[in-house]
Amino acid sequence: AGAVATMLNTAIHRMDTDLPLSLPLADGTYDLDLWLMENYRPGHRSLTITIEGVVVAQRVQDGDAVGVWHRLTYPVTIRDGR
C-alpha cells in the first residue's frame, strides 16, 4: 500500500500536447494500470490512450466526481524491451 500511496500523491500534468511515457521492461505480458483523477471540474479533460502504437481508448474522462481516483487497466505485450 505504501508504493501505491506514494504514486497517487504524484502528479503529471501537460496541456494540449502528447505525454509520452516509457519504461524499459523485459519482453512479456503485463497489466498497465493508469490512474486518473480530476481536480478542477467533472468532465473538464479527456484523453486518448495509445499503448505500443495502438489506440486503446478515446475520449477518456476521469468520471463525474472531483478528487476521486479511477484506475483503468490495459493488457500490454512487450516485444521490444520498452
Side-chain angles (χ1 to χ4, degrees), residues 19-33:
L19 176 63
L21 302 172
S22 68
L23 178 68
L25 294 169
D27 290 356
T29 301
Y30 298 88
D31 284 334
L32 171 66
D33 290 330

Side-chain angles (χ1 to χ4, degrees), residues 10-64:
T10 302
I12 299 174
H13 181 266
R14 290 290 277 269
M15 292 182 61
D16 301 322
T17 187
D18 291 344
L19 176 63
L21 302 172
S22 68
L23 178 68
L25 294 169
D27 290 356
T29 301
Y30 298 88
D31 284 334
L32 171 66
D33 290 330
L34 177 62
W35 291 81
L36 302 175
M37 189 266 291
E38 178 57 64
N39 64 353
Y40 183 60
R41 69 174 187 253
H44 181 68
R45 302 165 224 276
S46 69
L47 58 124
T48 298
I49 301 170
T50 304
I51 301 172
E52 289 291 292
V54 176
V55 174
V56 297
Q58 293 182 314
R59 294 180 295 282
V60 174
Q61 293 186 333
D62 49 18
D64 296 327

Side-chain angles (χ1 to χ4, degrees), residues 56-80:
V56 297
Q58 293 182 314
R59 294 180 295 282
V60 174
Q61 293 186 333
D62 49 18
D64 296 327
V66 172
V68 177
W69 284 104
H70 300 274
R71 181 174 69 183
L72 307 174
T73 301
Y74 298 95
V76 180
T77 300
I78 303 296
R79 293 187 178 94
D80 60 2

